[in-house]
Amino acid sequence: MAVFAVVFAVGTYFIGVPTSDPLIAFGWLWLATIAWRNYLPWKQHLLFLRDWLPISLLLVVYNVSRSFADDFFDPHVTEMIHADIDMFGWFTGGQVPTTWLQEHLYHPGVVQWWEVVVTLVYVSHFLTVPTVAVILWVRTRFQWARFIRRWFTLCVFGLITYFLYPAAPPWWAGERGYLNAPVERISTNGWDAIGLHGAGNTLNALQVEQSNPVAAMPSLHTAWAMMAVAFFLPMVRRRWWPLLLAYPLAMTFTLVYTGEHYVIDVLVGWAYVAAVFVVVGLVERRWFRPLDLPRD
C-alpha cells in the first residue's frame, strides 16, 4: 500500500487526478485492491475485471451521452436564477447566493486557504463514490450490489433530465449577462496553492472539452455525495450523522461558491436521491425475498 500511495501521488502530481476517464480511475482502484490483498492468487485479482469492467464501460457511455444532452432543447437559464433569488434574495440583497458568496469571499489573483479546501472537496466527487463502491466490493458483495443499483439508477435519472431539461449553471449565465454581477468559475483554483498544477490542468481540460456546460439540473455532484452518505446512515449511530452529512453540505457550499451550481440544482439533486432510494428499495423488496438474501 505504501508503494501504491507513492505511485499514485507521483501520477497525480505529473498527470493529474484521474477524473476524465472511468477506466483510468478504476484502473487505479484495481491496483489499490491488489496492493491491499497482495497475498491472493492472480485469479482472485482478475475477478475485479469481471465485476468492474462492465460498470466502467457503462460510466464511459454515461459521460459520452451526457455531453450530447443539450442537442435537443435550448438551455433553461432564468428559472434557476429566479428560484435562488426567491429563496435567498431577502438575505443576499436580491442576488443569487453564488454572486453574493464570490463578492464576499473571492479575491481575483489571490488564492485563499478556503479555496484549497473547496478544490479538494470538488475533486472528491470523482473519487469518493467509486472508492466507496470498491471498498464495499472487497468487504461484502451484497452491500456492493445494493450500492451499485442506487448509484446507476441515480445516474440514469440525472441523464434523462439533462436531455429533457438542459439547465445552465451560474458561470454560464454570468458570462452571458443573465446575472447582475460577474461569476468566476474557480473550482480548480486551489491546485496552484498546493503545487498540483498538473491536477488542475487535467480537470480544467475535462471541464472545457468533455463536460456538457448546460447539464446542471440536477446537481449530480451533490447527489452522489448525498447518496454515498445516505446509504450508510441506517448502519451508523445517529451521533455520527452530523459528521457524515457534513460532506454533502461541504459539497453544496463548494458548488455554489465556485459558480458550478445554483442552490436549486442541489435541492433537486437531493430529491432525486430520495426518489432513487424509494424506487430501488421497492424493487429490491419485490425481487428479493428474505430467504433469497445471501449470507455474508
Side-chain angles (χ1 to χ4, degrees):
M1 288 302 295
V3 172
F4 168 80
V6 171
V7 173
F8 182 77
V10 172
T12 299
Y13 182 83
F14 287 102
I15 302 174
V17 179
T19 59
S20 58
D21 191 337
L23 294 176
I24 296 176
F26 281 107
W28 279 110
L29 290 170
W30 183 29
L31 291 178
T33 65
I34 294 173
W36 182 256
R37 306 186 301 172
N38 59 80
Y39 52 86
L40 292 178
W42 271 104
K43 287 184 178 180
Q44 293 294 319
H45 294 305
L46 292 177
L47 294 178
F48 187 96
L49 294 181
R50 181 197 67 184
D51 291 342
W52 284 103
L53 186 57
I55 295 173
S56 301
L57 292 176
L58 284 173
L59 283 174
V60 171
V61 172
Y62 165 78
N63 284 343
V64 173
S65 59
R66 181 176 180 270
S67 65
F68 294 102
D70 60 336
D71 292 347
F72 300 96
F73 300 102
D74 293 331
H76 297 263
V77 185
T78 58
E79 296 93 328
M80 288 72 65
I81 297 174
H82 293 322
D84 269 29
I85 292 177
D86 289 343
M87 287 188 291
F88 301 100
W90 60 273
F91 179 77
T92 61
Q95 300 185 65
V96 297
T98 295
T99 57
W100 186 86
L101 286 172
Q102 290 199 1
E103 181 182 294
H104 288 80
L105 298 176
Y106 175 61
H107 303 284
V110 179
V111 179
Q112 308 290 341
W113 66 265
W114 56 82
E115 291 181 19
V116 176
V117 178
V118 160
T119 294
L120 293 175
V121 171
Y122 179 79
V123 79
S124 72
H125 160 78
F126 302 97
L127 298 175
T128 299
V129 171
T131 301
V132 169
V134 168
I135 292 173
L136 288 173
W137 178 81
V138 171
R139 294 180 60 86
T140 164
R141 288 177 56 83
F142 172 60
Q143 295 295 351
W144 168 74
R146 293 182 64 245
F147 189 84
I148 290 296
R149 284 192 285 267
R150 285 156 177 77
W151 183 16
F152 269 89
T153 304
L154 180 61
C155 290
V156 170
F157 283 10
L159 184 61
I160 292 173
T161 307
Y162 295 152
F163 275 95
L164 298 178
Y165 193 88
W171 66 265
W172 193 98
E175 285 182 351
R176 290 156 178 79
Y178 285 94
L179 296 172
N180 55 9
V183 175
E184 298 292 334
R185 195 177 190 184
I186 55 176
S187 53
T188 62
N189 279 16
W191 289 128
D192 289 339
I194 54 180
L196 292 178
H197 307 287
N201 293 335
T202 300
L203 192 53
N204 287 336
L206 171 67
Q207 290 177 330
V208 172
E209 298 175 5
Q210 299 185 27
S211 65
N212 179 357
V214 289
M217 173 73 77
S219 168
L220 283 191
H221 268 78
T222 193
W224 282 22
M226 181 59 77
M227 184 209 69
V229 167
F231 184 82
F232 292 100
L233 288 180
M235 307 178 192
V236 301
R237 296 181 178 179
R238 291 192 176 184
R239 66 184 181 186
W240 297 110
W241 285 17
L243 181 62
L244 291 177
L245 292 171
Y247 177 54
L249 292 177
M251 183 65 75
T252 296
F253 173 83
T254 293
L255 297 173
V256 175
Y257 169 56
T258 60
E260 299 289 345
H261 286 281
Y262 297 98
V263 176
I264 188 63
D265 302 335
V266 171
L267 297 178
V268 173
W270 290 355
Y272 272 47
V273 173
V276 164
F277 273 66
V278 170
V279 171
V280 176
L282 291 174
V283 171
E284 287 174 339
R285 283 193 290 272
R286 183 176 180 84
W287 284 5
F288 300 104
R289 294 175 300 174
L291 293 178
D292 294 332
L293 297 179
R295 298 178 180 178
D296 290 336

mmCIF file of all heavy atoms in Angstrom, residues 204-248:
data_model
loop_
_atom_site.group_PDB
_atom_site.id
_atom_site.type_symbol
_atom_site.label_atom_id
_atom_site.label_comp_id
_atom_site.label_asym_id
_atom_site.label_seq_id
_atom_site.Cartn_x
_atom_site.Cartn_y
_atom_site.Cartn_z
ATOM 1 N N ASN A 204 -9.315 21.103 -15.608
ATOM 2 C CA ASN A 204 -9.758 22.190 -16.475
ATOM 3 C C ASN A 204 -10.041 21.691 -17.886
ATOM 4 O O ASN A 204 -11.021 22.092 -18.519
ATOM 5 C CB ASN A 204 -8.691 23.288 -16.522
ATOM 6 C CG ASN A 204 -8.620 24.081 -15.231
ATOM 7 O OD1 ASN A 204 -9.591 24.147 -14.492
ATOM 8 N ND2 ASN A 204 -7.472 24.659 -14.951
ATOM 9 N N ALA A 205 -9.165 20.819 -18.387
ATOM 10 C CA ALA A 205 -9.377 20.258 -19.716
ATOM 11 C C ALA A 205 -10.656 19.443 -19.764
ATOM 12 O O ALA A 205 -11.404 19.484 -20.747
ATOM 13 C CB ALA A 205 -8.182 19.388 -20.115
ATOM 14 N N LEU A 206 -10.912 18.700 -18.702
ATOM 15 C CA LEU A 206 -12.152 17.919 -18.624
ATOM 16 C C LEU A 206 -13.359 18.840 -18.657
ATOM 17 O O LEU A 206 -14.341 18.571 -19.353
ATOM 18 C CB LEU A 206 -12.160 17.085 -17.346
ATOM 19 C CG LEU A 206 -13.473 16.366 -17.002
ATOM 20 C CD1 LEU A 206 -13.760 15.286 -18.035
ATOM 21 C CD2 LEU A 206 -13.402 15.760 -15.600
ATOM 22 N N GLN A 207 -13.318 19.942 -17.918
ATOM 23 C CA GLN A 207 -14.450 20.857 -17.869
ATOM 24 C C GLN A 207 -14.711 21.497 -19.225
ATOM 25 O O GLN A 207 -15.850 21.711 -19.622
ATOM 26 C CB GLN A 207 -14.199 21.946 -16.827
ATOM 27 C CG GLN A 207 -14.248 21.439 -15.388
ATOM 28 C CD GLN A 207 -13.924 22.548 -14.391
ATOM 29 O OE1 GLN A 207 -13.172 23.468 -14.693
ATOM 30 N NE2 GLN A 207 -14.485 22.443 -13.206
ATOM 31 N N VAL A 208 -13.639 21.788 -19.959
ATOM 32 C CA VAL A 208 -13.780 22.505 -21.222
ATOM 33 C C VAL A 208 -14.164 21.575 -22.364
ATOM 34 O O VAL A 208 -15.039 21.869 -23.174
ATOM 35 C CB VAL A 208 -12.467 23.253 -21.558
ATOM 36 C CG1 VAL A 208 -12.530 23.841 -22.956
ATOM 37 C CG2 VAL A 208 -12.213 24.349 -20.528
ATOM 38 N N GLU A 209 -13.506 20.402 -22.431
ATOM 39 C CA GLU A 209 -13.608 19.574 -23.620
ATOM 40 C C GLU A 209 -14.699 18.509 -23.534
ATOM 41 O O GLU A 209 -15.310 18.163 -24.533
ATOM 42 C CB GLU A 209 -12.254 18.894 -23.889
ATOM 43 C CG GLU A 209 -11.123 19.891 -24.156
ATOM 44 C CD GLU A 209 -9.781 19.203 -24.288
ATOM 45 O OE1 GLU A 209 -9.764 17.952 -24.271
ATOM 46 O OE2 GLU A 209 -8.763 19.897 -24.404
ATOM 47 N N GLN A 210 -14.926 17.920 -22.351
ATOM 48 C CA GLN A 210 -15.761 16.738 -22.287
ATOM 49 C C GLN A 210 -17.102 16.957 -21.591
ATOM 50 O O GLN A 210 -18.033 16.200 -21.817
ATOM 51 C CB GLN A 210 -15.009 15.607 -21.567
ATOM 52 C CG GLN A 210 -13.734 15.192 -22.279
ATOM 53 C CD GLN A 210 -13.091 13.993 -21.615
ATOM 54 O OE1 GLN A 210 -13.743 13.176 -20.988
ATOM 55 N NE2 GLN A 210 -11.786 13.885 -21.747
ATOM 56 N N SER A 211 -17.203 17.941 -20.740
ATOM 57 C CA SER A 211 -18.435 18.096 -19.982
ATOM 58 C C SER A 211 -19.475 18.848 -20.796
ATOM 59 O O SER A 211 -19.159 19.574 -21.737
ATOM 60 C CB SER A 211 -18.158 18.852 -18.677
ATOM 61 O OG SER A 211 -17.739 20.171 -18.952
ATOM 62 N N ASN A 212 -20.731 18.661 -20.424
ATOM 63 C CA ASN A 212 -21.824 19.406 -21.019
ATOM 64 C C ASN A 212 -22.029 20.673 -20.190
ATOM 65 O O ASN A 212 -22.376 20.581 -19.012
ATOM 66 C CB ASN A 212 -23.081 18.544 -21.019
ATOM 67 C CG ASN A 212 -24.280 19.270 -21.621
ATOM 68 O OD1 ASN A 212 -24.190 20.428 -21.996
ATOM 69 N ND2 ASN A 212 -25.398 18.578 -21.707
ATOM 70 N N PRO A 213 -21.830 21.850 -20.754
ATOM 71 C CA PRO A 213 -21.897 23.065 -19.954
ATOM 72 C C PRO A 213 -23.284 23.398 -19.433
ATOM 73 O O PRO A 213 -23.426 24.226 -18.534
ATOM 74 C CB PRO A 213 -21.399 24.163 -20.911
ATOM 75 C CG PRO A 213 -21.686 23.613 -22.275
ATOM 76 C CD PRO A 213 -21.487 22.130 -22.163
ATOM 77 N N VAL A 214 -24.330 22.782 -19.994
ATOM 78 C CA VAL A 214 -25.681 23.083 -19.530
ATOM 79 C C VAL A 214 -26.368 21.817 -19.004
ATOM 80 O O VAL A 214 -27.541 21.562 -19.273
ATOM 81 C CB VAL A 214 -26.518 23.743 -20.648
ATOM 82 C CG1 VAL A 214 -26.017 25.153 -20.908
ATOM 83 C CG2 VAL A 214 -26.510 22.920 -21.929
ATOM 84 N N ALA A 215 -25.615 21.026 -18.241
ATOM 85 C CA ALA A 215 -26.170 19.848 -17.562
ATOM 86 C C ALA A 215 -26.068 20.073 -16.058
ATOM 87 O O ALA A 215 -25.356 19.369 -15.347
ATOM 88 C CB ALA A 215 -25.435 18.581 -17.974
ATOM 89 N N ALA A 216 -26.781 21.087 -15.582
ATOM 90 C CA ALA A 216 -26.652 21.489 -14.184
ATOM 91 C C ALA A 216 -27.821 21.072 -13.303
ATOM 92 O O ALA A 216 -27.732 21.164 -12.082
ATOM 93 C CB ALA A 216 -26.486 23.011 -14.097
ATOM 94 N N MET A 217 -28.903 20.624 -13.916
ATOM 95 C CA MET A 217 -30.105 20.276 -13.154
ATOM 96 C C MET A 217 -30.470 18.815 -13.405
ATOM 97 O O MET A 217 -30.807 18.445 -14.527
ATOM 98 C CB MET A 217 -31.259 21.177 -13.572
ATOM 99 C CG MET A 217 -32.601 20.809 -12.974
ATOM 100 S SD MET A 217 -32.746 21.194 -11.242
ATOM 101 C CE MET A 217 -33.003 22.982 -11.331
ATOM 102 N N PRO A 218 -30.391 17.939 -12.415
ATOM 103 C CA PRO A 218 -29.974 18.202 -11.027
ATOM 104 C C PRO A 218 -28.452 18.195 -10.899
ATOM 105 O O PRO A 218 -27.752 17.770 -11.822
ATOM 106 C CB PRO A 218 -30.569 17.006 -10.278
ATOM 107 C CG PRO A 218 -30.464 15.890 -11.279
ATOM 108 C CD PRO A 218 -30.769 16.530 -12.611
ATOM 109 N N SER A 219 -27.960 18.621 -9.759
ATOM 110 C CA SER A 219 -26.531 18.565 -9.484
ATOM 111 C C SER A 219 -26.167 17.149 -9.042
ATOM 112 O O SER A 219 -26.423 16.753 -7.913
ATOM 113 C CB SER A 219 -26.157 19.563 -8.384
ATOM 114 O OG SER A 219 -24.843 19.309 -7.934
ATOM 115 N N LEU A 220 -25.558 16.382 -9.942
ATOM 116 C CA LEU A 220 -25.124 15.039 -9.559
ATOM 117 C C LEU A 220 -23.872 15.084 -8.683
ATOM 118 O O LEU A 220 -23.570 14.108 -8.000
ATOM 119 C CB LEU A 220 -24.877 14.183 -10.803
ATOM 120 C CG LEU A 220 -26.132 13.653 -11.493
ATOM 121 C CD1 LEU A 220 -25.764 12.616 -12.547
ATOM 122 C CD2 LEU A 220 -27.115 13.037 -10.506
ATOM 123 N N HIS A 221 -23.148 16.199 -8.698
ATOM 124 C CA HIS A 221 -22.032 16.342 -7.756
ATOM 125 C C HIS A 221 -22.533 16.169 -6.324
ATOM 126 O O HIS A 221 -22.010 15.357 -5.555
ATOM 127 C CB HIS A 221 -21.375 17.714 -7.909
ATOM 128 C CG HIS A 221 -20.235 17.731 -8.881
ATOM 129 N ND1 HIS A 221 -20.436 17.748 -10.225
ATOM 130 C CD2 HIS A 221 -18.879 17.729 -8.692
ATOM 131 C CE1 HIS A 221 -19.262 17.766 -10.848
ATOM 132 N NE2 HIS A 221 -18.310 17.746 -9.935
ATOM 133 N N THR A 222 -23.528 16.957 -5.979
ATOM 134 C CA THR A 222 -24.030 16.867 -4.608
ATOM 135 C C THR A 222 -24.934 15.653 -4.421
ATOM 136 O O THR A 222 -25.040 15.118 -3.317
ATOM 137 C CB THR A 222 -24.772 18.162 -4.225
ATOM 138 O OG1 THR A 222 -24.994 18.185 -2.827
ATOM 139 C CG2 THR A 222 -26.101 18.265 -4.940
ATOM 140 N N ALA A 223 -25.576 15.181 -5.488
ATOM 141 C CA ALA A 223 -26.420 13.990 -5.385
ATOM 142 C C ALA A 223 -25.574 12.760 -5.091
ATOM 143 O O ALA A 223 -25.946 11.921 -4.264
ATOM 144 C CB ALA A 223 -27.224 13.797 -6.667
ATOM 145 N N TRP A 224 -24.427 12.624 -5.758
ATOM 146 C CA TRP A 224 -23.526 11.499 -5.460
ATOM 147 C C TRP A 224 -23.058 11.563 -4.014
ATOM 148 O O TRP A 224 -23.000 10.545 -3.321
ATOM 149 C CB TRP A 224 -22.319 11.527 -6.388
ATOM 150 C CG TRP A 224 -22.568 11.021 -7.771
ATOM 151 C CD1 TRP A 224 -23.774 10.929 -8.421
ATOM 152 C CD2 TRP A 224 -21.583 10.536 -8.686
ATOM 153 N NE1 TRP A 224 -23.595 10.427 -9.678
ATOM 154 C CE2 TRP A 224 -22.273 10.176 -9.882
ATOM 155 C CE3 TRP A 224 -20.211 10.400 -8.631
ATOM 156 C CZ2 TRP A 224 -21.612 9.665 -10.997
ATOM 157 C CZ3 TRP A 224 -19.540 9.890 -9.743
ATOM 158 C CH2 TRP A 224 -20.236 9.522 -10.910
ATOM 159 N N ALA A 225 -22.713 12.771 -3.572
ATOM 160 C CA ALA A 225 -22.238 12.923 -2.193
ATOM 161 C C ALA A 225 -23.324 12.543 -1.198
ATOM 162 O O ALA A 225 -23.067 11.825 -0.216
ATOM 163 C CB ALA A 225 -21.774 14.360 -1.954
ATOM 164 N N MET A 226 -24.545 13.005 -1.430
ATOM 165 C CA MET A 226 -25.647 12.675 -0.529
ATOM 166 C C MET A 226 -25.980 11.187 -0.579
ATOM 167 O O MET A 226 -26.276 10.563 0.447
ATOM 168 C CB MET A 226 -26.875 13.509 -0.879
ATOM 169 C CG MET A 226 -28.077 13.249 0.025
ATOM 170 S SD MET A 226 -27.732 13.581 1.774
ATOM 171 C CE MET A 226 -27.799 15.381 1.776
ATOM 172 N N MET A 227 -25.922 10.577 -1.770
ATOM 173 C CA MET A 227 -26.209 9.156 -1.896
ATOM 174 C C MET A 227 -25.197 8.321 -1.110
ATOM 175 O O MET A 227 -25.563 7.371 -0.407
ATOM 176 C CB MET A 227 -26.174 8.747 -3.366
ATOM 177 C CG MET A 227 -26.555 7.297 -3.619
ATOM 178 S SD MET A 227 -25.754 6.586 -5.083
ATOM 179 C CE MET A 227 -24.046 6.510 -4.558
ATOM 180 N N ALA A 228 -23.910 8.677 -1.234
ATOM 181 C CA ALA A 228 -22.873 7.929 -0.532
ATOM 182 C C ALA A 228 -23.063 7.996 0.977
ATOM 183 O O ALA A 228 -22.785 7.034 1.693
ATOM 184 C CB ALA A 228 -21.494 8.470 -0.915
ATOM 185 N N VAL A 229 -23.549 9.145 1.469
ATOM 186 C CA VAL A 229 -23.785 9.305 2.906
ATOM 187 C C VAL A 229 -25.082 8.623 3.323
ATOM 188 O O VAL A 229 -25.131 7.893 4.326
ATOM 189 C CB VAL A 229 -23.801 10.798 3.269
ATOM 190 C CG1 VAL A 229 -24.344 11.010 4.680
ATOM 191 C CG2 VAL A 229 -22.406 11.390 3.139
ATOM 192 N N ALA A 230 -26.151 8.859 2.562
ATOM 193 C CA ALA A 230 -27.466 8.306 2.926
ATOM 194 C C ALA A 230 -27.444 6.785 2.956
ATOM 195 O O ALA A 230 -28.163 6.163 3.752
ATOM 196 C CB ALA A 230 -28.524 8.799 1.944
ATOM 197 N N PHE A 231 -26.626 6.177 2.119
ATOM 198 C CA PHE A 231 -26.546 4.717 2.087
ATOM 199 C C PHE A 231 -26.095 4.162 3.434
ATOM 200 O O PHE A 231 -26.533 3.089 3.853
ATOM 201 C CB PHE A 231 -25.577 4.282 0.989
ATOM 202 C CG PHE A 231 -25.482 2.798 0.806
ATOM 203 C CD1 PHE A 231 -26.425 2.113 0.058
ATOM 204 C CD2 PHE A 231 -24.450 2.080 1.389
ATOM 205 C CE1 PHE A 231 -26.340 0.731 -0.113
ATOM 206 C CE2 PHE A 231 -24.357 0.701 1.220
ATOM 207 C CZ PHE A 231 -25.301 0.030 0.465
ATOM 208 N N PHE A 232 -25.222 4.895 4.142
ATOM 209 C CA PHE A 232 -24.642 4.386 5.388
ATOM 210 C C PHE A 232 -25.353 4.899 6.640
ATOM 211 O O PHE A 232 -25.064 4.427 7.737
ATOM 212 C CB PHE A 232 -23.155 4.751 5.467
ATOM 213 C CG PHE A 232 -22.310 4.032 4.458
ATOM 214 C CD1 PHE A 232 -21.917 4.660 3.287
ATOM 215 C CD2 PHE A 232 -21.923 2.720 4.674
ATOM 216 C CE1 PHE A 232 -21.142 3.989 2.357
ATOM 217 C CE2 PHE A 232 -21.152 2.047 3.750
ATOM 218 C CZ PHE A 232 -20.761 2.679 2.582
ATOM 219 N N LEU A 233 -26.263 5.864 6.493
ATOM 220 C CA LEU A 233 -26.915 6.406 7.678
ATOM 221 C C LEU A 233 -27.626 5.337 8.504
ATOM 222 O O LEU A 233 -27.527 5.361 9.748
ATOM 223 C CB LEU A 233 -27.900 7.512 7.276
ATOM 224 C CG LEU A 233 -27.283 8.836 6.816
ATOM 225 C CD1 LEU A 233 -28.372 9.834 6.462
ATOM 226 C CD2 LEU A 233 -26.340 9.407 7.863
ATOM 227 N N PRO A 234 -28.355 4.377 7.890
ATOM 228 C CA PRO A 234 -29.010 3.361 8.720
ATOM 229 C C PRO A 234 -28.030 2.419 9.424
ATOM 230 O O PRO A 234 -28.427 1.687 10.326
ATOM 231 C CB PRO A 234 -29.876 2.583 7.711
ATOM 232 C CG PRO A 234 -30.002 3.483 6.527
ATOM 233 C CD PRO A 234 -28.725 4.246 6.476
ATOM 234 N N MET A 235 -26.764 2.448 9.016
ATOM 235 C CA MET A 235 -25.791 1.498 9.550
ATOM 236 C C MET A 235 -24.948 2.069 10.691
ATOM 237 O O MET A 235 -24.186 1.334 11.311
ATOM 238 C CB MET A 235 -24.846 1.026 8.434
ATOM 239 C CG MET A 235 -25.545 0.491 7.205
ATOM 240 S SD MET A 235 -24.356 0.018 5.924
ATOM 241 C CE MET A 235 -25.465 -0.210 4.522
ATOM 242 N N VAL A 236 -25.061 3.375 10.944
ATOM 243 C CA VAL A 236 -24.226 4.005 11.959
ATOM 244 C C VAL A 236 -25.117 4.656 13.012
ATOM 245 O O VAL A 236 -26.298 4.927 12.768
ATOM 246 C CB VAL A 236 -23.282 5.067 11.346
ATOM 247 C CG1 VAL A 236 -22.368 4.446 10.305
ATOM 248 C CG2 VAL A 236 -24.082 6.209 10.713
ATOM 249 N N ARG A 237 -24.549 4.905 14.166
ATOM 250 C CA ARG A 237 -25.295 5.563 15.227
ATOM 251 C C ARG A 237 -25.583 7.016 14.853
ATOM 252 O O ARG A 237 -24.797 7.658 14.174
ATOM 253 C CB ARG A 237 -24.505 5.502 16.532
ATOM 254 C CG ARG A 237 -24.305 4.076 17.058
ATOM 255 C CD ARG A 237 -23.535 4.075 18.357
ATOM 256 N NE ARG A 237 -23.388 2.713 18.885
ATOM 257 C CZ ARG A 237 -22.751 2.419 19.995
ATOM 258 N NH1 ARG A 237 -22.174 3.389 20.724
ATOM 259 N NH2 ARG A 237 -22.663 1.159 20.397
ATOM 260 N N ARG A 238 -26.703 7.505 15.355
ATOM 261 C CA ARG A 238 -27.136 8.847 14.951
ATOM 262 C C ARG A 238 -26.170 9.938 15.385
ATOM 263 O O ARG A 238 -26.149 11.006 14.771
ATOM 264 C CB ARG A 238 -28.531 9.128 15.521
ATOM 265 C CG ARG A 238 -29.612 8.278 14.878
ATOM 266 C CD ARG A 238 -31.002 8.767 15.235
ATOM 267 N NE ARG A 238 -32.037 7.999 14.541
ATOM 268 C CZ ARG A 238 -33.327 8.253 14.609
ATOM 269 N NH1 ARG A 238 -33.756 9.281 15.362
ATOM 270 N NH2 ARG A 238 -34.184 7.520 13.945
ATOM 271 N N ARG A 239 -25.403 9.684 16.412
ATOM 272 C CA ARG A 239 -24.443 10.716 16.831
ATOM 273 C C ARG A 239 -23.382 10.976 15.766
ATOM 274 O O ARG A 239 -22.701 12.015 15.801
ATOM 275 C CB ARG A 239 -23.783 10.305 18.138
ATOM 276 C CG ARG A 239 -22.894 9.075 18.050
ATOM 277 C CD ARG A 239 -22.374 8.701 19.417
ATOM 278 N NE ARG A 239 -21.489 7.535 19.386
ATOM 279 C CZ ARG A 239 -20.999 6.939 20.467
ATOM 280 N NH1 ARG A 239 -21.320 7.409 21.669
ATOM 281 N NH2 ARG A 239 -20.201 5.896 20.354
ATOM 282 N N TRP A 240 -23.216 10.040 14.815
ATOM 283 C CA TRP A 240 -22.252 10.222 13.745
ATOM 284 C C TRP A 240 -22.868 10.838 12.502
ATOM 285 O O TRP A 240 -22.163 11.171 11.551
ATOM 286 C CB TRP A 240 -21.603 8.884 13.377
ATOM 287 C CG TRP A 240 -20.804 8.267 14.481
ATOM 288 C CD1 TRP A 240 -21.110 7.146 15.198
ATOM 289 C CD2 TRP A 240 -19.554 8.753 15.005
ATOM 290 N NE1 TRP A 240 -20.142 6.894 16.140
ATOM 291 C CE2 TRP A 240 -19.169 7.861 16.037
ATOM 292 C CE3 TRP A 240 -18.726 9.834 14.698
ATOM 293 C CZ2 TRP A 240 -18.003 8.031 16.764
ATOM 294 C CZ3 TRP A 240 -17.558 10.002 15.427
ATOM 295 C CH2 TRP A 240 -17.211 9.109 16.435
ATOM 296 N N TRP A 241 -24.192 10.981 12.482
ATOM 297 C CA TRP A 241 -24.852 11.528 11.310
ATOM 298 C C TRP A 241 -24.370 12.936 10.947
ATOM 299 O O TRP A 241 -24.144 13.208 9.762
ATOM 300 C CB TRP A 241 -26.367 11.518 11.504
ATOM 301 C CG TRP A 241 -26.996 10.163 11.375
ATOM 302 C CD1 TRP A 241 -26.364 8.947 11.422
ATOM 303 C CD2 TRP A 241 -28.375 9.877 11.163
ATOM 304 N NE1 TRP A 241 -27.257 7.928 11.271
ATOM 305 C CE2 TRP A 241 -28.515 8.464 11.113
ATOM 306 C CE3 TRP A 241 -29.509 10.667 11.033
ATOM 307 C CZ2 TRP A 241 -29.750 7.845 10.921
ATOM 308 C CZ3 TRP A 241 -30.748 10.040 10.849
ATOM 309 C CH2 TRP A 241 -30.855 8.648 10.785
ATOM 310 N N PRO A 242 -24.235 13.858 11.905
ATOM 311 C CA PRO A 242 -23.751 15.195 11.525
ATOM 312 C C PRO A 242 -22.389 15.155 10.835
ATOM 313 O O PRO A 242 -22.145 15.930 9.897
ATOM 314 C CB PRO A 242 -23.679 15.931 12.870
ATOM 315 C CG PRO A 242 -24.688 15.244 13.724
ATOM 316 C CD PRO A 242 -24.606 13.796 13.337
ATOM 317 N N LEU A 243 -21.511 14.248 11.277
ATOM 318 C CA LEU A 243 -20.197 14.148 10.648
ATOM 319 C C LEU A 243 -20.328 13.669 9.207
ATOM 320 O O LEU A 243 -19.672 14.208 8.296
ATOM 321 C CB LEU A 243 -19.309 13.196 11.448
ATOM 322 C CG LEU A 243 -17.876 13.014 10.922
ATOM 323 C CD1 LEU A 243 -17.130 14.336 10.948
ATOM 324 C CD2 LEU A 243 -17.132 11.951 11.742
ATOM 325 N N LEU A 244 -21.172 12.673 8.976
ATOM 326 C CA LEU A 244 -21.368 12.179 7.617
ATOM 327 C C LEU A 244 -22.041 13.228 6.732
ATOM 328 O O LEU A 244 -21.640 13.443 5.586
ATOM 329 C CB LEU A 244 -22.208 10.905 7.641
ATOM 330 C CG LEU A 244 -21.563 9.650 8.234
ATOM 331 C CD1 LEU A 244 -22.556 8.498 8.246
ATOM 332 C CD2 LEU A 244 -20.319 9.258 7.455
ATOM 333 N N LEU A 245 -23.056 13.895 7.259
ATOM 334 C CA LEU A 245 -23.796 14.883 6.470
ATOM 335 C C LEU A 245 -22.972 16.133 6.181
ATOM 336 O O LEU A 245 -23.333 16.930 5.297
ATOM 337 C CB LEU A 245 -25.088 15.260 7.183
ATOM 338 C CG LEU A 245 -26.134 14.142 7.265
ATOM 339 C CD1 LEU A 245 -27.285 14.552 8.176
ATOM 340 C CD2 LEU A 245 -26.660 13.796 5.875
ATOM 341 N N ALA A 246 -21.875 16.308 6.909
ATOM 342 C CA ALA A 246 -21.006 17.459 6.637
ATOM 343 C C ALA A 246 -20.431 17.394 5.221
ATOM 344 O O ALA A 246 -20.144 18.435 4.615
ATOM 345 C CB ALA A 246 -19.877 17.522 7.664
ATOM 346 N N TYR A 247 -20.280 16.175 4.691
ATOM 347 C CA TYR A 247 -19.697 16.052 3.343
ATOM 348 C C TYR A 247 -20.617 16.610 2.254
ATOM 349 O O TYR A 247 -20.185 17.474 1.469
ATOM 350 C CB TYR A 247 -19.324 14.601 3.064
ATOM 351 C CG TYR A 247 -18.774 14.374 1.669
ATOM 352 C CD1 TYR A 247 -17.696 15.117 1.196
ATOM 353 C CD2 TYR A 247 -19.350 13.438 0.810
ATOM 354 C CE1 TYR A 247 -17.195 14.933 -0.082
ATOM 355 C CE2 TYR A 247 -18.859 13.243 -0.463
ATOM 356 C CZ TYR A 247 -17.784 13.996 -0.903
ATOM 357 O OH TYR A 247 -17.300 13.816 -2.176
ATOM 358 N N PRO A 248 -21.878 16.170 2.140
ATOM 359 C CA PRO A 248 -22.730 16.789 1.111
ATOM 360 C C PRO A 248 -22.965 18.273 1.341
ATOM 361 O O PRO A 248 -23.140 19.028 0.378
ATOM 362 C CB PRO A 248 -24.038 15.990 1.196
ATOM 363 C CG PRO A 248 -24.007 15.293 2.501
ATOM 364 C CD PRO A 248 -22.568 15.055 2.819
#
